[in-house]
Amino acid sequence: MASEPIIPLDPSWPAMSLDQVRALLTAPGAKFETDEVAIRGTPTRVWKNAPPSLPWLFTAARAHGDRVMTIYEDERVTYDAAFRAAAALSHHLTALGVGKGDRVALAMRNLPEWPVIFFAITALGAIAVPLNAWWTGGELEYGLTDSGAKVLIVDDERHQRLSLRYSELPALEHVLVARASAPLQAPAARLEDVIGTPHDWAALPDRSFPDAAVAPDDDATIFYTSGTTGAPKGALGTHRNMTSNILSSGYSAARTYLRRGETPPDPTPKVMLTVIPMFHCTACSAGMMGAIATGSTTIYMRRWDAVRAMEIIERERVNMTGGVPTIAWQLLEHPDRAKYDLSSLETIAYGGAPSAPELVRRIHEEFGALPGNGWGMTETMATVTQHGGEDYLNRPTSAGPPVAAADLEIRAEDGVTLVPTDEVGELWARGPMIVRGYWNKPEATAATFVDGWVRTGDLARLDDEGFLYVVDRAKDIVIRGGENIYSTEVENVLYAHPAVTDCALIGIPHRTLGEEPAAVVHLAPGTQASEAELQAWVRDRLAAFKTPVAIRFVEATLPRNANGKILKKDLKTLFDEGAGAPG
């Protein structure tokens, strides 16, 4: 049931089947050879040549020397300078009492400090906790409390949101603030007093990381992913989870060349414009790991702006960008696009949000670049499937086949029975990228992680060649431009308003964002509330992107099935054009 190709393909394509590619690339002695090891007692197929740990990776990456690792405005940081800063910070964290297993939270926009801080933490065997920089002060406080973070490293904006809350966080002993705009009071201190500004890092002493015994399956990260019920859950990842993405991405690229009948080239440094936040495992794990392994340059923007992005692509000769379909759409459709030389673009890849086949075609035809996408989730530390080149052009509605170290199964409702090819069921995945579980949530862990498998909640099918098609979400979420918005979280905030007695959050289509959140609300008799009032109510309590873009008011309570579940599909027509103005 493959989709029809959207461009003409060479009749000889593919030159190799997926099974032939896998056999060749994973053969004994090959770069992508696999092995079997026991992870938490479960035999698991792993990449034999994956870096064993994050400190091993960053120490090896120091050999890239004077190659530029990150660019942010006028700050150009080399690999050697970044390593010096990370080593200095890791020794300072040791002096603060941070050791193996301690949690150190990181909350800031994409800055050159971000990867330096991340590797300084994980080099000690401590656990890095990247917090969503878009969260409100209350949401950030929850993440700090739940993780039990001992140290927080934060930029000035996040510090301002949290400064009055530090006294409510008894586990938090130290706060380091980057780019502070005003004098600081305890427990806060300036990060620059420890490592200086990015312009200073090249002059820092030449030191190694402190000695710390770090094994592949030691804990390394906690990335928060909200649940469909209750508070956000922290996905507890390991060093192996993170470094597996390097080989997964390399394998997928080599597969594209072999399917085309070409010999895969050796990895070469690229220039990447990263516009998705580093607190997402997509940017941190799937993006940063491979970039560092190959000595690539990553460019950060203060905020997304299509014109500014095109200026950067032209000036820096950017090879790769993307993140979510919105980015590609805005570049394609900007009226000034022809004024810029974007010919250096080789790949525009994205995930995390639905994309139209039209986007796949236009990236290829108008940029001369290859589109790419894939499937993963926080619980899989990003990459499980990757899709690119002619395979993506031939199957634009697929998320691609799994990488060689991963397995996918489509199971029936009983969680055991496998469904036939091309039939829909729940997607299960396993491999070295699957996280350990949820931080301090044993019941949720037991329900989601089973014998090395993660039950994803996504409804999907596999075709006869193993290509994945995600057809629906069992979890009640709206995905706005790659950001997960869990309906229950927003609904709970709406229910807290004194006038609201019934409500539901749904996703309404948006051409570039994929979808946006909208709400249907029933008010208590005799009460009043406007759309603007309820939007402000949500915006004051949750990150702005979770605020409904539209609210419809209904006179009766919302329709439900026999089990009491709101029939959300029946509500979408309220947002059709001409369906009525907001109340």
Side-chain angles (χ1 to χ4, degrees), residues 96-122:
L96 295 180
V98 175
K100 193 167 186 177
D102 287 332
R103 278 78 63 206
V104 179
L106 167 57
M108 62 175 55
R109 68 169 67 250
N110 287 3
L111 293 169
E113 290 90 336
W114 209 103
V116 164
I117 296 164
F118 179 84
F119 283 102
I121 297 167
T122 54

Side-chain angles (χ1 to χ4, degrees), residues 407-484:
D407 293 310
L408 299 178
E409 288 185 351
I410 308 297
R411 302 191 187 184
E413 290 185 9
D414 62 10
V416 177
T417 306
L418 298 183
V419 306
T421 298
D422 272 326
E423 291 192 15
V424 174
E426 184 181 3
L427 175 62
W428 290 56
R430 72 175 173 186
M433 66 288 294
I434 308 301
V435 303
R436 179 187 296 275
Y438 295 121
W439 176 257
N440 283 342
K441 289 183 169 53
E443 292 182 2
T445 296
T448 303
F449 301 92
V450 182
D451 297 330
W453 292 87
V454 58
R455 53 182 315 166
T456 70
D458 284 337
L459 302 179
R461 65 179 177 87
L462 293 171
D463 70 14
D464 56 1
E465 289 189 81
F467 283 79
L468 172 67
Y469 294 79
V470 179
V471 300
D472 199 1
R473 294 190 295 272
K475 294 179 179 178
D476 191 4
I477 61 176
V478 177
I479 302 181
R480 179 192 181 276
E483 286 290 331
N484 285 357

Side-chain angles (χ1 to χ4, degrees), residues 245-258:
N245 277 292
I246 299 170
L247 277 294
S248 295
S249 296
Y251 174 87
S252 299
R255 179 178 61 202
T256 296
Y257 280 99
L258 289 174

Side-chain angles (χ1 to χ4, degrees), residues 256-278:
T256 296
Y257 280 99
L258 289 174
R259 295 271 281 175
R260 192 181 297 148
E262 299 176 3
T263 300
D266 290 331
T268 56
K270 301 291 184 182
V271 179
M272 306 164 59
L273 177 58
T274 294
V275 295
I276 51 176
M278 294 298 295

Side-chain angles (χ1 to χ4, degrees), residues 371-427:
N373 83 344
W375 175 85
M377 55 197 301
T378 307
E379 290 86 344
T380 70
M381 200 60 77
T383 308
V384 177
T385 75
Q386 279 197 330
H387 207 17
E390 291 83 355
D391 274 320
Y392 193 11
L393 294 167
N394 193 40
R395 289 176 168 87
T397 59
S398 170
V403 299
D407 293 310
L408 299 178
E409 288 185 351
I410 308 297
R411 302 191 187 184
E413 290 185 9
D414 62 10
V416 177
T417 306
L418 298 183
V419 306
T421 298
D422 272 326
E423 291 192 15
V424 174
E426 184 181 3
L427 175 62

Side-chain angles (χ1 to χ4, degrees), residues 162-234:
L162 280 165
S163 59
L164 298 179
R165 300 174 182 267
Y166 293 144
S167 61
E168 305 299 320
L169 298 164
L172 187 64
E173 299 175 5
H174 304 279
V175 179
L176 295 175
V177 183
R179 309 181 187 234
S181 59
L184 301 174
Q185 297 180 341
R190 288 172 53 85
L191 178 64
E192 290 79 8
D193 291 342
V194 180
I195 60 174
T197 72
H199 295 294
D200 304 323
W201 294 348
L204 288 170
D206 184 358
R207 309 175 74 180
S208 301
F209 285 132
D211 290 334
V214 180
D217 296 311
D218 284 350
D219 298 333
T221 59
I222 296 174
F223 284 91
Y224 276 92
T225 176
S226 296
T228 53
T229 59
K233 298 189 291 292

Side-chain angles (χ1 to χ4, degrees), residues 32 47 51 57 242-251 285 289-290 293:
F32 301 102
W47 298 115
L57 170 65
M242 296 291 297
T243 63
S244 288
N245 277 292
I246 299 170
L247 277 294
S248 295
S249 296
Y251 174 87
S285 186
M289 295 297 104

